[in-house]
Amino acid sequence: MKKRNARHLLKKYLAGNCTDEEKARIESWYIQQRHDEVPLLSQEERLEDMQAIRRSLSEGLGRQRRTHPYRYAAAAAILIAASLSYYFLIVNQPTATVGHGATAFAPGTNRATLTLADGSIIDLDSTQTAIVVSDEAIGYQDGAPLASVVQGNTSFVELKTPRGGNYQVVLSDGTRVWLNSASTLKYPLRFGDSRHVELHGEAYFEVKQQTVTKNGSVAKAPFIVKSADQEITVLGTSFNVNAYGDEERVRTTLVTGAVKVSTPNGSLALEPGEETVLEKTSGRLAKQLGDLPAATAWINGYFDLNHKPFDAILRELARWYDLEISYEGPVPDIRFFGEADRYSDFSIVLAMLESNHVAYRITGRKLEILGKQ
């Protein structure tokens, strides 16, 4: 964002003329300003403008709660993500009765297991980020070996991340896969005439284009991902698949290239920026414009909170912080704008609940939502 544009947007913000998206944008931008080594504005300018933002939020807080609950939730989520403690001085203490328990839930890290064809299980090094399948061995990205590979071995192995873990793998064809928490990727050590993998959970794929020769002619070799009740056929592309068992829908979002998503009820082709949504109960497959920043937020180190239902956000947080979520009564009708750092302490989640007057109770690793007060 250029300095001139930033100051213009700030003036709109302070005048109360911003849209919800512009409001979230400038607050998120100030979060980034806090972390940038070379800020766009000087320290004096940032301090002056942040104080102005603080006054603006304080003056409009009561009105926003009554007439613009989405804006209030947006500000709360973004300020939490920023961890700017002085922002919270302007937020009234919640009237909800909040039960405090063990709150030292750490964010996820590089954790996964690799199950070999003989059933042996390897706990992968948490100081590493990825494993690589080469011609001779399975090893870490820095070259440290894990297991040898017999030439021509096409046995399937399984990379599995627990709740609170993620990992990457570079397959034998050069395809790179990012595996989100509570997910499993089953793949062969060597691909034969076709390339098939199986996914449970969520993963982002950067598929390496590959050719095969058949009957003297050269053709592109498809890469096929099976997840839930669908198959994704790829030639060379990048895309995200969200196929968690506790979600009602399977989403396949295309970033680059082209894919075809097939189910027993039909198939759809995607262009970059589009996504398919598979309704699990009905089997209906539909195509729509995708939200690329939201679909790829997790591999870029943040949670995208924009427009998501309260329970959907908590399911995502639960997988990452390794929690069990339950509700006493209906799910609070709260939606958010903005982003939150994926590697922040769990206290940002509790602050998000408290600032929106949601009562909760913590018992062990269980977070119980008692309702909105």
Side-chain angles (χ1 to χ4, degrees):
M1 187 191 299
K2 294 182 179 179
K3 180 174 179 177
R4 181 174 160 187
N5 293 339
R7 300 307 289 255
H8 172 72
L9 191 57
L10 176 64
K11 287 180 181 179
K12 287 184 64 178
Y13 179 99
L14 296 177
N17 296 326
C18 279
T19 64
D20 288 338
E21 287 75 12
E22 288 173 331
K23 186 172 184 291
R25 181 184 177 195
I26 196 161
E27 290 168 350
S28 296
W29 174 66
Y30 268 95
I31 295 171
Q32 186 61 45
Q33 280 277 296
R34 180 172 176 263
H35 296 294
D36 285 346
E37 293 183 3
V38 183
L40 184 63
L41 303 181
S42 68
Q43 180 65 28
E44 291 75 17
E45 287 175 311
R46 287 194 294 160
L47 180 58
E48 176 186 347
D49 290 344
M50 284 211 183
Q51 288 172 342
I53 290 174
R54 175 180 172 179
R55 289 193 300 272
S56 175
L57 284 171
S58 182
E59 292 167 0
L61 193 58
R63 175 176 55 80
Q64 287 178 4
R65 282 181 184 170
R66 291 189 297 272
T67 62
H68 298 287
Y70 285 9
R71 290 185 181 179
Y72 174 64
I78 293 168
L79 301 186
I80 290 163
S83 300
L84 298 175
S85 58
Y86 57 84
Y87 270 8
F88 287 105
L89 297 177
I90 67 170
V91 180
N92 295 335
Q93 292 299 315
T95 57
T97 301
V98 180
H100 293 281
T103 60
F105 302 132
T109 59
N110 296 319
R111 289 196 295 147
T113 59
L114 181 67
T115 303
L116 302 179
D118 62 3
S120 58
I121 300 175
I122 301 173
D123 288 318
L124 299 180
D125 190 343
S126 61
T127 65
Q128 302 275 358
T129 60
I131 57 173
V132 179
V133 180
S134 68
D135 290 337
E136 297 83 20
I138 305 172
Y140 291 109
Q141 192 162 274
D142 66 359
L146 268 173
S148 60
V149 175
V150 178
Q151 187 70 27
N153 186 352
T154 58
S155 299
F156 275 76
V157 296
E158 189 174 88
L159 180 64
K160 184 175 184 178
T161 55
R163 294 168 71 90
N166 59 10
Y167 228 82
Q168 300 174 37
V169 58
V170 180
L171 304 179
S172 61
D173 65 342
T175 293
R176 180 178 287 269
V177 185
W178 287 255
L179 199 61
N180 204 350
S181 54
S183 301
T184 301
L185 182 70
K186 190 175 181 181
Y187 58 93
L189 293 174
R190 287 285 176 275
F191 290 112
D193 293 337
S194 61
R195 297 182 291 172
H196 286 77
V197 300
E198 186 174 331
L199 171 69
H200 299 275
E202 184 171 22
Y204 181 82
F205 293 81
E206 285 187 352
V207 176
K208 191 80 169 179
Q209 194 172 102
Q210 192 175 69
T211 59
V212 293
T213 302
K214 283 188 176 182
N215 301 323
S217 61
V218 178
K220 293 181 179 179
F223 187 99
I224 298 174
V225 181
K226 180 172 177 54
S227 61
D229 293 324
Q230 68 175 25
E231 278 193 355
I232 306 162
T233 303
V234 185
L235 294 177
T237 184
S238 54
F239 61 99
N240 192 79
V241 185
N242 184 310
Y244 282 112
D246 59 353
E247 299 291 344
E248 296 178 353
R249 301 169 184 86
V250 178
R251 294 182 182 272
T252 303
T253 308
L254 182 62
V255 178
T256 63
V259 302
K260 182 175 72 172
V261 181
S262 302
T263 72
N265 296 325
S267 62
L268 290 171
L270 290 182
E271 295 183 356
E274 295 180 333
E275 71 178 9
T276 56
V277 179
L278 172 63
E279 301 285 348
K280 291 183 179 178
T281 53
S282 66
R284 179 177 178 269
L285 182 68
K287 181 167 68 173
Q288 64 186 30
L289 186 64
D291 186 341
L292 298 189
T296 59
W298 67 274
I299 66 168
N300 292 312
Y302 66 93
F303 296 106
D304 184 284
L305 308 177
N306 290 296
H307 312 292
K308 290 183 179 178
F310 182 85
D311 55 343
I313 291 174
L314 284 200
R315 284 195 300 273
E316 186 174 0
L317 293 171
R319 286 190 288 264
W320 186 237
Y321 289 97
D322 189 15
L323 299 174
E324 180 185 347
I325 306 292
S326 66
Y327 296 88
E328 186 179 278
V331 176
D333 185 16
I334 300 173
R335 290 178 185 254
F336 301 93
F337 292 105
E339 302 163 356
D341 185 355
R342 189 171 161 90
Y343 294 95
S344 292
D345 184 84
F346 187 70
S347 59
I348 70 161
V349 179
L350 301 185
M352 181 169 65
L353 297 177
E354 292 174 17
S355 62
N356 285 280
H357 295 251
V358 176
Y360 64 86
R361 180 187 300 119
I362 295 176
T363 306
R365 302 201 70 85
K366 181 177 181 180
L367 175 63
E368 185 177 5
I369 303 301
L370 305 179
K372 195 173 190 308
Q373 303 298 306

